[in-house]
Amino acid sequence: MSVAETRTERSAGWNRPPAVEPEGEGELLEVAMGPHHPSTHGVFRMDVSLDGERVVRLKPVFGYLHRNHEKIAEGVAYLASMPYTDRLDYFCSLTNNWAYALAVEKLAGQEVPARAEYIRVILAELTRIQNHASTIGFLLQEMGASGTPLMYAFREREKILDLFESLTGSRMMCNYMRFGGCRVDLSSAWIEATKKVVAGLPAFVDEFEALLTGNEILMARCQGVGVLKPDLAVNAGISGPMLRASGVNYDLRKVDHYGIYDRFQFRVPLGDHGDIYDRYMVRVLEMRESIGILNQALQDIPLGPIMDAKAKLRGFRPKPGEAYGRIEAPKGELGFYLISDGGPNPYRYRVRPPSLINLTVLEDMCLGHNVADVVLIFGSVDIVLGEVDR
Amino acid sequence: MLGEGIVKGMLETAKNFAGSFVSEDRLTTVEYPEQRIPTAENARVFPFLIYDGPDWHAGLRCVACQICEKECPPKCIYIEKSKDKKPDFVGKPQIYPARFDIDISVCMSCQICVEVCPFEAIKMDTEFELATGDRFGGLLLDCRELAKSNEYYHSIHPTEAAEVDARLAEEKKAAEAKAKAAAAAAAQKAAADAAAKAAAPKPGAPAAGGS
Amino acid sequence: MKTVEEIKAAIEAAVPGAGVTVVLNPSPSAQHSLRLEPAHALAVAAFLRDDPELAFDYLSNVTGVDWLDKEIAEKVKVTRQVTKTVDGPEGTKLEQVVDEIVEETRKHVEPGSLEAVYHLYSVALRHGPLVLRMRTVNRTDKVELPSLTPVWRAAELQEREVFDLYGIVFTGHPDLRRILMWDEFKDYPMRKDYVEPDDYEYEPTAHDAVLKRAQEHRSREQGSRD
């Protein structure tokens, strides 16, 4: 592609912010980053046009992992889609379960008992901690800190996954939540083990921060790179830590009051600049807040049933209608939109994937930066290709 | 001071490096397959069928109701019903699966078959070393390969198995009580019928007894 | 948040002739929606975003729904005039025209359409959701809808996905290409009447219909090669 062509493409005129103009005339260097590139977290391609080292055009190419999850879900019963949701964002299967269960509960009007709500909060916050820790680990891996931060994160993640395994039977594909409750009850031994792990987490976050937060190389690479302005972030539907790093106070746990998050004291960390460093910092602070929520939830978890008495395992047919349910997943706003026609299968089943929609502004953030920064900006978005391509 | 952050980070790494010599906690690697971590009690890999008693075929709890086949999300179960019947654990004659195949190359270990089974006949195994050279035949398990004894189930999921056994024992007791009640009722009815028959003078029949 | 009826009134005051209808949702979620006329959708969307009382600045979800042609049978009570013989005075018979209510089953085909659904929230005022819907004229040739990407950037990738999987053509979208399927792909896989290709990769599941079709496909291919 020539320089003149990029100019006409950009002057097509819509709400894209003005970008860096290539200097001079002539041909640009076309680089296909991916689909098999170590920084792309899976199979994903960015078609990048370079003027020297600078990025002047970047087009993401999706679909390498597309398996039409939505079509599969429309062909099976409501419950049978639950294990498939584990495979969307395979780092956070429990929050995926929760979002789907929440949408179905809205559709069918089911009530969740208090103990089940506490269990959901505990599992979701553990998921958030392990997701943020490994995201930061991967970000540092892409920055060139080969291994150390990632291994520290994975050491801690392993403890959390062991808890998941002893409760749900699987480390990653948990398939734990059900419409109107949860599948198996917590034992007191499990709660004790979780308390022990949670008690060790603040020391881990301190260690992580001592290792990274003040590091000059991290600051030099991250500060002022990949800036996302708050008005664009809202307009482009960005969600999760990325939105909050741009300074927009929008956390669905506070906004939607879903589950029982009203009962817990926690703050919503916000960034100032919207650059990579703020995204890193917001994730670290969110881990600290999650530890706070976990301590409260493990303290007050009540006894009682874990399933709605009216819930049915077999022959579940919600009345005709539709519902959109969303939760604050670690990667952003994860929503499920369901239309029922009264049959055993959903008529329409839609996943609102935060990973895909957060990539809307990838080009805006990358334009004008060096090609090495593209890898970092992409890593700071925090995506999982299983969810992007579905 | 420039470089302070890096030094601080290096100190942290050094602490972890030195700490790994003294603290068990920091040594997280296990040298598989010589060393093994015990599997969690709730762990699940692939499903298997439970049988009671010594004979796998006679003791199979499955009654080929095909609910799991219908509910299986990736449709990896295939069941053919038998033509004849065999007694189940309470002694009632039931259909059994003439063919029960699970394709574990398609199975995704979701445990939904276990949840929907009303007969406690299918449970999750913890065996995970299932690699085979034969991609098609080797991963298609038939009834014989799937059948495992209740004792084996007790050895891998002791808590859950005890609960299941208690539930089944109760069911059996209820069924026996019901059968006994039914038998008693039938006997009573028969006796009453006989008594009624005896009491009522039958036309055309020779009068019985001492008239 | 205002109710959908109030929002409808506000829209009609601001955009004359907008032609908004309320679609009620019978499920317990009670998320009712507004159906927009495609001709005025862009103006309505801009109003919803910029109005200080509504301020729907955050477009959360965009998706498509495929509604097939539906044959609807409904029982209708019809008054018909029937001639009846009535006993007249003095034993005579009289013919009289009487109105009678008869139940009749009528069938009509409701033409199918493709529908785009938008879920809006407000970050500024923290309310929502407001559900917007637009329908195409039919499912075959008149499948254009106006793109809302100029109002909310969030629709950019999601409208591309709806175009890819449902075949709704969003006019005014800056970059309408296939996103999940490859560029040479012809059909729209999320439509309800989509037929899966029979040259699937071999699945060893013994009873799967997919396997049968794959085997037939393979034998056909082999036959044509010989």
Coordinates of all heavy atoms in Angstrom, one line a residue, chain A residues 9 81 123 204 223 245 260 310 367:
Chain A
E9 N -7.9 6.5 2.6 CA -8.7 5.6 3.5 C -9.1 6.3 4.8 O -10.2 6.2 5.2 CB -7.8 4.4 3.9 CG -8.6 3.3 4.5 CD -7.7 2.1 4.8 OE1 -7.1 2.1 5.9 OE2 -7.7 1.2 4.0
S81 N -25.4 -25.8 27.2 CA -24.5 -24.8 26.8 C -23.6 -24.4 27.9 O -22.6 -23.7 27.7 CB -25.3 -23.5 26.4 OG -26.0 -23.8 25.3
L123 N -15.9 -17.3 44.2 CA -15.3 -17.9 43.0 C -14.9 -16.8 42.0 O -13.9 -16.9 41.4 CB -16.2 -19.0 42.4 CG -16.4 -20.2 43.3 CD1 -17.4 -21.2 42.7 CD2 -15.1 -20.9 43.6
F204 N 1.7 -11.8 48.2 CA 2.1 -12.1 46.8 C 2.0 -10.8 46.0 O 2.9 -10.4 45.2 CB 1.2 -13.1 46.2 CG 1.0 -13.0 44.7 CD1 2.1 -13.4 43.9 CD2 -0.2 -12.6 44.1 CE1 2.0 -13.3 42.5 CE2 -0.3 -12.5 42.8 CZ 0.8 -12.9 42.0
Q223 N 4.7 4.1 30.2 CA 4.0 5.4 30.5 C 3.9 6.2 29.2 O 4.9 6.3 28.5 CB 4.8 6.1 31.6 CG 4.6 5.4 32.9 CD 5.3 6.1 34.0 OE1 6.2 6.9 33.8 NE2 5.0 5.8 35.2
A245 N -9.1 2.3 33.5 CA -7.7 2.9 33.5 C -7.8 4.3 32.7 O -6.9 5.1 32.9 CB -6.8 2.0 32.7
I260 N -24.8 -10.1 45.1 CA -24.9 -9.5 46.4 C -23.7 -8.5 46.6 O -23.3 -8.3 47.8 CB -24.9 -10.5 47.5 CG1 -23.8 -11.6 47.3 CG2 -26.2 -11.2 47.7 CD1 -23.4 -12.3 48.5
K310 N -37.3 -24.2 43.0 CA -38.1 -24.4 41.8 C -37.3 -24.8 40.6 O -37.9 -25.1 39.5 CB -38.9 -23.0 41.5 CG -40.1 -22.8 42.4 CD -40.7 -21.5 42.0 CE -39.8 -20.3 42.4 NZ -40.3 -19.0 42.0
L367 N -1.5 3.7 16.5 CA -1.0 4.6 15.5 C 0.0 5.5 16.0 O -0.2 6.1 17.1 CB -2.2 5.3 14.9 CG -3.2 4.5 14.0 CD1 -4.3 5.4 13.5 CD2 -2.4 3.8 12.9

